[in-house]
Amino acid sequence: MAVPKKKTSKSKRDSRKAVWKRKAAVHAQRAISLGKSILSGKNDGFVYPLAEEAETEE
């Protein structure tokens, strides 16, 4: 016979939500940092074709 599940406590719910939000904040910060480094030209870990190189290859 089906038995109702126990209610999750507010602290456990809030803890899970905080972990999810912390992960999202870390990824957002990394994306902003990568974008800034690409714009400044100081990027080392991200490779992308430059506009001049793309035009000369065609």
Side-chain angles (χ1 to χ4, degrees):
M1 188 169 151
V3 178
K5 294 182 180 178
K6 292 185 177 180
K7 184 176 180 180
T8 304
S9 68
K10 290 180 183 178
S11 62
K12 189 175 282 189
R13 178 199 66 196
D14 293 343
S15 175
R16 287 191 184 127
K17 193 178 286 188
V19 169
W20 186 87
K21 286 185 177 183
R22 193 178 322 119
K23 284 182 181 180
V26 167
H27 284 286
Q29 182 62 39
R30 285 183 185 165
I32 289 172
S33 177
L34 180 61
K36 285 181 180 179
S37 68
I38 290 172
L39 288 174
S40 67
K42 296 181 180 178
N43 59 322
D44 291 330
F46 187 75
V47 180
Y48 62 97
L50 296 174
E52 300 88 36
E53 292 177 2
E55 292 174 1
T56 57
E57 291 177 6
E58 292 178 0

Short mmCIF file of all heavy atoms in Angstrom, two decimals:
data_model
loop_
_atom_site.label_atom_id
_atom_site.label_comp_id
_atom_site.label_asym_id
_atom_site.label_seq_id
_atom_site.Cartn_x
_atom_site.Cartn_y
_atom_site.Cartn_z
N MET A 1 0.83 -1.18 0.00
CA MET A 1 0.00 0.00 0.00
C MET A 1 0.88 1.25 0.00
O MET A 1 1.95 1.28 0.62
CB MET A 1 -0.87 -0.02 1.25
CG MET A 1 -1.90 1.04 1.27
SD MET A 1 -3.04 0.71 2.62
CE MET A 1 -3.53 2.33 2.98
N ALA A 2 0.45 2.29 -0.70
CA ALA A 2 1.24 3.51 -0.82
C ALA A 2 1.24 4.28 0.50
O ALA A 2 0.22 4.41 1.18
CB ALA A 2 0.65 4.39 -1.91
N VAL A 3 2.44 4.75 0.86
CA VAL A 3 2.59 5.52 2.10
C VAL A 3 3.13 6.89 1.72
O VAL A 3 4.07 7.00 0.93
CB VAL A 3 3.58 4.81 3.05
CG1 VAL A 3 3.80 5.62 4.31
CG2 VAL A 3 3.10 3.42 3.37
N PRO A 4 2.58 7.97 2.30
CA PRO A 4 3.07 9.30 1.97
C PRO A 4 4.51 9.49 2.45
O PRO A 4 4.91 8.97 3.49
CB PRO A 4 2.14 10.26 2.70
CG PRO A 4 1.19 9.43 3.48
CD PRO A 4 1.43 8.00 3.19
N LYS A 5 5.29 10.22 1.66
CA LYS A 5 6.68 10.49 2.02
C LYS A 5 6.73 11.53 3.11
O LYS A 5 5.82 12.34 3.28
CB LYS A 5 7.45 10.99 0.80
CG LYS A 5 7.59 9.96 -0.28
CD LYS A 5 8.41 10.52 -1.43
CE LYS A 5 8.56 9.49 -2.51
NZ LYS A 5 9.29 10.00 -3.66
N LYS A 6 7.85 11.52 3.87
CA LYS A 6 8.02 12.52 4.91
C LYS A 6 8.35 13.87 4.28
O LYS A 6 9.00 13.93 3.23
CB LYS A 6 9.15 12.11 5.86
CG LYS A 6 8.83 10.90 6.68
CD LYS A 6 9.93 10.61 7.67
CE LYS A 6 9.55 9.43 8.54
NZ LYS A 6 10.59 9.12 9.52
N LYS A 7 7.94 14.92 4.94
CA LYS A 7 8.18 16.26 4.45
C LYS A 7 9.65 16.62 4.62
O LYS A 7 10.25 16.36 5.66
CB LYS A 7 7.31 17.24 5.21
CG LYS A 7 7.42 18.67 4.71
CD LYS A 7 6.47 19.58 5.45
CE LYS A 7 6.60 21.00 4.94
NZ LYS A 7 5.69 21.91 5.64
N THR A 8 10.24 17.23 3.59
CA THR A 8 11.62 17.68 3.66
C THR A 8 11.67 18.95 4.51
O THR A 8 10.85 19.85 4.35
CB THR A 8 12.16 17.99 2.25
OG1 THR A 8 12.00 16.82 1.45
CG2 THR A 8 13.61 18.37 2.29
N SER A 9 12.66 19.01 5.40
CA SER A 9 12.76 20.17 6.28
C SER A 9 13.16 21.42 5.50
O SER A 9 13.77 21.34 4.43
CB SER A 9 13.79 19.92 7.37
OG SER A 9 15.08 19.84 6.83
N LYS A 10 12.82 22.58 6.04
CA LYS A 10 13.15 23.84 5.38
C LYS A 10 14.65 24.04 5.28
O LYS A 10 15.16 24.56 4.29
CB LYS A 10 12.52 25.00 6.15
CG LYS A 10 11.03 25.06 6.05
CD LYS A 10 10.46 26.23 6.83
CE LYS A 10 8.95 26.23 6.76
NZ LYS A 10 8.36 27.34 7.55
N SER A 11 15.39 23.60 6.30
CA SER A 11 16.85 23.78 6.27
C SER A 11 17.48 22.94 5.17
O SER A 11 18.40 23.39 4.48
CB SER A 11 17.46 23.43 7.62
OG SER A 11 17.24 22.06 7.93
N LYS A 12 16.99 21.72 4.97
CA LYS A 12 17.53 20.87 3.91
C LYS A 12 17.19 21.46 2.55
O LYS A 12 18.02 21.48 1.64
CB LYS A 12 16.97 19.46 4.04
CG LYS A 12 17.65 18.46 3.12
CD LYS A 12 17.16 17.05 3.38
CE LYS A 12 17.83 16.48 4.61
NZ LYS A 12 17.56 15.04 4.80
N ARG A 13 15.95 21.95 2.41
CA ARG A 13 15.52 22.57 1.16
C ARG A 13 16.37 23.81 0.85
O ARG A 13 16.87 23.98 -0.26
CB ARG A 13 14.06 22.97 1.26
CG ARG A 13 13.52 23.69 0.03
CD ARG A 13 12.26 24.45 0.34
NE ARG A 13 12.56 25.55 1.27
CZ ARG A 13 11.64 26.21 1.96
NH1 ARG A 13 10.38 25.88 1.87
NH2 ARG A 13 11.99 27.20 2.75
N ASP A 14 16.57 24.65 1.85
CA ASP A 14 17.35 25.87 1.67
C ASP A 14 18.81 25.56 1.38
O ASP A 14 19.47 26.25 0.60
CB ASP A 14 17.24 26.77 2.90
CG ASP A 14 15.83 27.32 3.08
OD1 ASP A 14 15.04 27.28 2.11
OD2 ASP A 14 15.52 27.80 4.19
N SER A 15 19.32 24.51 2.00
CA SER A 15 20.70 24.11 1.76
C SER A 15 20.89 23.67 0.32
O SER A 15 21.87 24.05 -0.34
CB SER A 15 21.08 22.98 2.71
OG SER A 15 22.36 22.50 2.45
N ARG A 16 19.98 22.88 -0.19
CA ARG A 16 20.06 22.43 -1.58
C ARG A 16 19.98 23.61 -2.53
O ARG A 16 20.70 23.68 -3.53
CB ARG A 16 18.95 21.44 -1.88
CG ARG A 16 19.15 20.09 -1.26
CD ARG A 16 18.14 19.08 -1.82
NE ARG A 16 18.28 17.82 -1.13
CZ ARG A 16 17.29 17.17 -0.55
NH1 ARG A 16 16.06 17.67 -0.57
NH2 ARG A 16 17.48 16.01 0.04
N LYS A 17 19.07 24.53 -2.24
CA LYS A 17 18.91 25.70 -3.10
C LYS A 17 20.17 26.57 -3.07
O LYS A 17 20.59 27.09 -4.10
CB LYS A 17 17.70 26.51 -2.65
CG LYS A 17 17.27 27.56 -3.64
CD LYS A 17 16.03 28.31 -3.17
CE LYS A 17 14.80 27.45 -3.30
NZ LYS A 17 13.56 28.19 -3.03
N ALA A 18 20.81 26.69 -1.91
CA ALA A 18 22.03 27.48 -1.79
C ALA A 18 23.16 26.87 -2.59
O ALA A 18 23.94 27.58 -3.23
CB ALA A 18 22.42 27.60 -0.32
N VAL A 19 23.27 25.54 -2.58
CA VAL A 19 24.31 24.86 -3.36
C VAL A 19 24.08 25.12 -4.85
O VAL A 19 25.02 25.43 -5.58
CB VAL A 19 24.32 23.35 -3.06
CG1 VAL A 19 25.18 22.60 -4.05
CG2 VAL A 19 24.80 23.10 -1.65
N TRP A 20 22.85 25.03 -5.29
CA TRP A 20 22.51 25.24 -6.70
C TRP A 20 22.86 26.67 -7.11
O TRP A 20 23.45 26.89 -8.17
CB TRP A 20 21.02 24.97 -6.90
CG TRP A 20 20.59 25.01 -8.32
CD1 TRP A 20 20.62 24.00 -9.22
CD2 TRP A 20 20.05 26.15 -9.01
NE1 TRP A 20 20.13 24.43 -10.43
CE2 TRP A 20 19.78 25.74 -10.34
CE3 TRP A 20 19.79 27.46 -8.64
CZ2 TRP A 20 19.25 26.61 -11.28
CZ3 TRP A 20 19.26 28.31 -9.58
CH2 TRP A 20 19.00 27.89 -10.88
N LYS A 21 22.50 27.64 -6.26
CA LYS A 21 22.78 29.04 -6.58
C LYS A 21 24.28 29.32 -6.56
O LYS A 21 24.78 30.11 -7.36
CB LYS A 21 22.06 29.96 -5.60
CG LYS A 21 20.57 30.02 -5.86
CD LYS A 21 19.88 31.01 -4.96
CE LYS A 21 18.41 31.11 -5.28
NZ LYS A 21 17.73 32.11 -4.47
N ARG A 22 25.02 28.68 -5.64
CA ARG A 22 26.47 28.89 -5.56
C ARG A 22 27.14 28.37 -6.83
O ARG A 22 28.03 29.01 -7.39
CB ARG A 22 27.04 28.19 -4.33
CG ARG A 22 28.46 28.60 -4.03
CD ARG A 22 29.03 27.95 -2.78
NE ARG A 22 28.07 27.79 -1.69
CZ ARG A 22 27.71 26.62 -1.17
NH1 ARG A 22 28.23 25.49 -1.61
NH2 ARG A 22 26.84 26.56 -0.17
N LYS A 23 26.70 27.20 -7.32
CA LYS A 23 27.26 26.65 -8.55
C LYS A 23 26.99 27.59 -9.73
O LYS A 23 27.87 27.82 -10.56
CB LYS A 23 26.66 25.28 -8.85
CG LYS A 23 27.20 24.17 -8.00
CD LYS A 23 26.58 22.84 -8.41
CE LYS A 23 27.07 21.70 -7.56
NZ LYS A 23 26.47 20.42 -7.96
N ALA A 24 25.77 28.13 -9.80
CA ALA A 24 25.42 29.05 -10.88
C ALA A 24 26.26 30.31 -10.81
O ALA A 24 26.73 30.82 -11.84
CB ALA A 24 23.94 29.39 -10.81
N ALA A 25 26.50 30.82 -9.61
CA ALA A 25 27.30 32.02 -9.45
C ALA A 25 28.75 31.80 -9.87
O ALA A 25 29.37 32.66 -10.49
CB ALA A 25 27.25 32.50 -8.00
N VAL A 26 29.29 30.62 -9.55
CA VAL A 26 30.67 30.30 -9.94
C VAL A 26 30.79 30.24 -11.45
O VAL A 26 31.72 30.80 -12.04
CB VAL A 26 31.12 28.97 -9.30
CG1 VAL A 26 32.40 28.48 -9.92
CG2 VAL A 26 31.29 29.14 -7.81
N HIS A 27 29.83 29.59 -12.12
CA HIS A 27 29.88 29.49 -13.58
C HIS A 27 29.70 30.87 -14.22
O HIS A 27 30.36 31.16 -15.24
CB HIS A 27 28.82 28.53 -14.09
CG HIS A 27 29.17 27.10 -13.88
ND1 HIS A 27 30.12 26.46 -14.64
CD2 HIS A 27 28.74 26.18 -12.99
CE1 HIS A 27 30.24 25.21 -14.24
NE2 HIS A 27 29.41 25.02 -13.23
N ALA A 28 28.85 31.70 -13.67
CA ALA A 28 28.66 33.05 -14.20
C ALA A 28 29.93 33.86 -14.06
O ALA A 28 30.32 34.59 -14.99
CB ALA A 28 27.50 33.73 -13.49
N GLN A 29 30.61 33.75 -12.92
CA GLN A 29 31.84 34.48 -12.70
C GLN A 29 32.93 34.03 -13.68
O GLN A 29 33.68 34.84 -14.21
CB GLN A 29 32.32 34.28 -11.26
CG GLN A 29 33.58 35.06 -10.92
CD GLN A 29 33.39 36.55 -11.05
OE1 GLN A 29 32.34 37.09 -10.69
NE2 GLN A 29 34.36 37.23 -11.58
N ARG A 30 33.01 32.72 -13.92
CA ARG A 30 34.00 32.20 -14.87
C ARG A 30 33.71 32.71 -16.28
O ARG A 30 34.62 33.03 -17.04
CB ARG A 30 34.00 30.68 -14.87
CG ARG A 30 34.68 30.11 -13.65
CD ARG A 30 34.73 28.61 -13.73
NE ARG A 30 35.27 28.05 -12.49
CZ ARG A 30 35.18 26.79 -12.15
NH1 ARG A 30 34.54 25.93 -12.91
NH2 ARG A 30 35.70 26.35 -11.03
N ALA A 31 32.44 32.76 -16.66
CA ALA A 31 32.07 33.23 -18.00
C ALA A 31 32.43 34.70 -18.16
O ALA A 31 32.96 35.11 -19.20
CB ALA A 31 30.57 33.02 -18.23
N ILE A 32 32.18 35.51 -17.15
CA ILE A 32 32.52 36.93 -17.20
C ILE A 32 34.03 37.11 -17.29
O ILE A 32 34.54 37.92 -18.06
CB ILE A 32 31.94 37.67 -15.99
CG1 ILE A 32 30.42 37.75 -16.12
CG2 ILE A 32 32.54 39.07 -15.85
CD1 ILE A 32 29.72 38.30 -14.90
N SER A 33 34.76 36.33 -16.49
CA SER A 33 36.21 36.41 -16.50
C SER A 33 36.78 36.03 -17.87
O SER A 33 37.70 36.69 -18.38
CB SER A 33 36.78 35.50 -15.42
OG SER A 33 38.18 35.50 -15.45
N LEU A 34 36.24 34.98 -18.47
CA LEU A 34 36.69 34.55 -19.79
C LEU A 34 36.40 35.63 -20.83
O LEU A 34 37.24 35.94 -21.67
CB LEU A 34 36.02 33.24 -20.17
CG LEU A 34 36.39 32.67 -21.53
CD1 LEU A 34 37.87 32.37 -21.62
CD2 LEU A 34 35.59 31.41 -21.80
N GLY A 35 35.22 36.21 -20.76
CA GLY A 35 34.86 37.27 -21.70
C GLY A 35 35.78 38.47 -21.57
O GLY A 35 36.22 39.04 -22.58
N LYS A 36 36.10 38.86 -20.34
CA LYS A 36 37.01 39.99 -20.13
C LYS A 36 38.39 39.68 -20.67
O LYS A 36 39.04 40.55 -21.26
CB LYS A 36 37.09 40.32 -18.64
CG LYS A 36 35.88 41.03 -18.10
CD LYS A 36 36.07 41.34 -16.62
CE LYS A 36 34.88 42.06 -16.04
NZ LYS A 36 35.06 42.33 -14.59
N SER A 37 38.88 38.45 -20.44
CA SER A 37 40.21 38.11 -20.91
C SER A 37 40.27 38.07 -22.43
O SER A 37 41.28 38.46 -23.04
CB SER A 37 40.67 36.78 -20.33
OG SER A 37 39.92 35.71 -20.84
N ILE A 38 39.19 37.63 -23.07
CA ILE A 38 39.16 37.62 -24.54
C ILE A 38 39.17 39.04 -25.08
O ILE A 38 39.89 39.37 -26.02
CB ILE A 38 37.92 36.85 -25.05
CG1 ILE A 38 38.10 35.35 -24.76
CG2 ILE A 38 37.70 37.08 -26.53
CD1 ILE A 38 36.87 34.53 -25.05
N LEU A 39 38.38 39.92 -24.46
CA LEU A 39 38.33 41.31 -24.92
C LEU A 39 39.65 42.04 -24.70
O LEU A 39 40.04 42.88 -25.50
CB LEU A 39 37.20 42.06 -24.20
CG LEU A 39 35.78 41.67 -24.63
CD1 LEU A 39 34.76 42.37 -23.76
CD2 LEU A 39 35.56 42.02 -26.09
N SER A 40 40.35 41.71 -23.63
CA SER A 40 41.61 42.39 -23.35
C SER A 40 42.77 41.77 -24.12
O SER A 40 43.84 42.37 -24.21
CB SER A 40 41.92 42.34 -21.85
OG SER A 40 42.18 41.01 -21.45
N GLY A 41 42.58 40.57 -24.67
CA GLY A 41 43.63 39.91 -25.43
C GLY A 41 44.62 39.15 -24.57
O GLY A 41 45.68 38.75 -25.05
N LYS A 42 44.30 38.92 -23.32
CA LYS A 42 45.22 38.23 -22.40
C LYS A 42 44.82 36.78 -22.17
O LYS A 42 45.27 36.16 -21.22
CB LYS A 42 45.26 38.95 -21.05
CG LYS A 42 45.81 40.35 -21.14
CD LYS A 42 45.83 41.00 -19.77
CE LYS A 42 46.38 42.40 -19.84
NZ LYS A 42 46.37 43.06 -18.54
N ASN A 43 44.00 36.23 -23.03
CA ASN A 43 43.52 34.87 -22.81
C ASN A 43 44.58 33.85 -23.22
O ASN A 43 45.28 34.01 -24.21
CB ASN A 43 42.22 34.62 -23.57
CG ASN A 43 42.40 34.81 -25.05
OD1 ASN A 43 43.11 35.70 -25.48
ND2 ASN A 43 41.77 33.97 -25.84
N ASP A 44 44.72 32.78 -22.44
CA ASP A 44 45.64 31.70 -22.75
C ASP A 44 44.90 30.38 -22.93
O ASP A 44 45.32 29.53 -23.70
CB ASP A 44 46.67 31.52 -21.63
CG ASP A 44 47.63 32.68 -21.56
OD1 ASP A 44 47.90 33.29 -22.61
OD2 ASP A 44 48.12 32.98 -20.44
N GLY A 45 43.80 30.18 -22.22
CA GLY A 45 43.13 28.89 -22.21
C GLY A 45 41.97 28.78 -23.16
O GLY A 45 41.24 27.81 -23.14
N PHE A 46 41.79 29.76 -24.03
CA PHE A 46 40.65 29.74 -24.94
C PHE A 46 41.15 30.08 -26.34
O PHE A 46 41.76 31.12 -26.56
CB PHE A 46 39.60 30.76 -24.49
CG PHE A 46 38.32 30.70 -25.26
CD1 PHE A 46 37.42 29.68 -25.04
CD2 PHE A 46 38.01 31.66 -26.21
CE1 PHE A 46 36.22 29.61 -25.74
CE2 PHE A 46 36.82 31.60 -26.91
CZ PHE A 46 35.93 30.58 -26.67
N VAL A 47 40.93 29.19 -27.31
CA VAL A 47 41.43 29.38 -28.66
C VAL A 47 40.25 29.63 -29.58
O VAL A 47 39.28 28.87 -29.57
CB VAL A 47 42.22 28.13 -29.13
CG1 VAL A 47 42.73 28.33 -30.54
CG2 VAL A 47 43.35 27.84 -28.18
N TYR A 48 40.33 30.66 -30.37
CA TYR A 48 39.27 30.96 -31.33
C TYR A 48 39.90 31.62 -32.55
O TYR A 48 40.94 32.27 -32.45
CB TYR A 48 38.20 31.87 -30.70
CG TYR A 48 38.72 33.22 -30.27
CD1 TYR A 48 38.57 34.34 -31.08
CD2 TYR A 48 39.38 33.38 -29.05
CE1 TYR A 48 39.06 35.56 -30.69
CE2 TYR A 48 39.87 34.61 -28.66
CZ TYR A 48 39.70 35.70 -29.48
OH TYR A 48 40.19 36.91 -29.11
N PRO A 49 39.31 31.47 -33.73
CA PRO A 49 39.89 32.06 -34.95
C PRO A 49 39.68 33.57 -34.96
O PRO A 49 38.60 34.06 -34.64
CB PRO A 49 39.14 31.38 -36.08
CG PRO A 49 37.85 30.95 -35.48
CD PRO A 49 38.15 30.65 -34.04
N LEU A 50 40.72 34.28 -35.31
CA LEU A 50 40.60 35.73 -35.46
C LEU A 50 39.95 36.05 -36.80
O LEU A 50 39.98 35.23 -37.74
CB LEU A 50 41.98 36.38 -35.38
CG LEU A 50 42.69 36.24 -34.03
CD1 LEU A 50 44.09 36.81 -34.14
CD2 LEU A 50 41.91 36.94 -32.94
N ALA A 51 39.38 37.22 -36.94
CA ALA A 51 38.68 37.59 -38.17
C ALA A 51 39.63 37.62 -39.35
O ALA A 51 39.29 37.21 -40.45
CB ALA A 51 38.00 38.94 -37.99
N GLU A 52 40.87 38.12 -39.15
CA GLU A 52 41.84 38.19 -40.25
C GLU A 52 42.22 36.79 -40.72
O GLU A 52 42.35 36.53 -41.91
CB GLU A 52 43.11 38.93 -39.81
CG GLU A 52 42.87 40.36 -39.37
CD GLU A 52 42.53 40.45 -37.89
OE1 GLU A 52 43.07 39.68 -37.09
OE2 GLU A 52 41.69 41.29 -37.55
N GLU A 53 42.42 35.88 -39.80
CA GLU A 53 42.80 34.52 -40.16
C GLU A 53 41.66 33.80 -40.90
O GLU A 53 41.91 33.07 -41.85
CB GLU A 53 43.18 33.71 -38.92
CG GLU A 53 44.45 34.17 -38.26
CD GLU A 53 44.74 33.39 -37.00
OE1 GLU A 53 43.98 32.47 -36.66
OE2 GLU A 53 45.73 33.71 -36.35
N ALA A 54 40.45 34.03 -40.50
CA ALA A 54 39.30 33.38 -41.12
C ALA A 54 39.14 33.86 -42.56
O ALA A 54 38.80 33.09 -43.46
CB ALA A 54 38.04 33.65 -40.32
N GLU A 55 39.40 35.13 -42.83
CA GLU A 55 39.24 35.68 -44.18
C GLU A 55 40.35 35.19 -45.10
O GLU A 55 40.13 34.95 -46.29
CB GLU A 55 39.23 37.21 -44.13
CG GLU A 55 37.99 37.76 -43.44
CD GLU A 55 38.07 39.27 -43.27
OE1 GLU A 55 39.06 39.88 -43.70
OE2 GLU A 55 37.14 39.83 -42.66
N THR A 56 41.57 35.05 -44.59
CA THR A 56 42.69 34.63 -45.44
C THR A 56 42.60 33.16 -45.78
O THR A 56 43.13 32.73 -46.80
CB THR A 56 44.03 34.90 -44.74
OG1 THR A 56 44.05 34.22 -43.48
CG2 THR A 56 44.22 36.39 -44.53
N GLU A 57 41.95 32.35 -44.98
CA GLU A 57 41.85 30.92 -45.24
C GLU A 57 40.85 30.61 -46.34
O GLU A 57 40.91 29.59 -46.99
CB GLU A 57 41.48 30.17 -43.96
CG GLU A 57 42.57 30.18 -42.93
CD GLU A 57 42.13 29.48 -41.64
OE1 GLU A 57 41.03 28.93 -41.62
OE2 GLU A 57 42.90 29.51 -40.67
N GLU A 58 39.91 31.48 -46.60
CA GLU A 58 38.86 31.21 -47.58
C GLU A 58 39.34 31.36 -48.99
O GLU A 58 40.26 31.89 -49.40
CB GLU A 58 37.67 32.16 -47.36
CG GLU A 58 36.96 31.86 -46.06
CD GLU A 58 35.82 32.83 -45.82
OE1 GLU A 58 35.57 33.73 -46.62
OE2 GLU A 58 35.18 32.67 -44.79
#
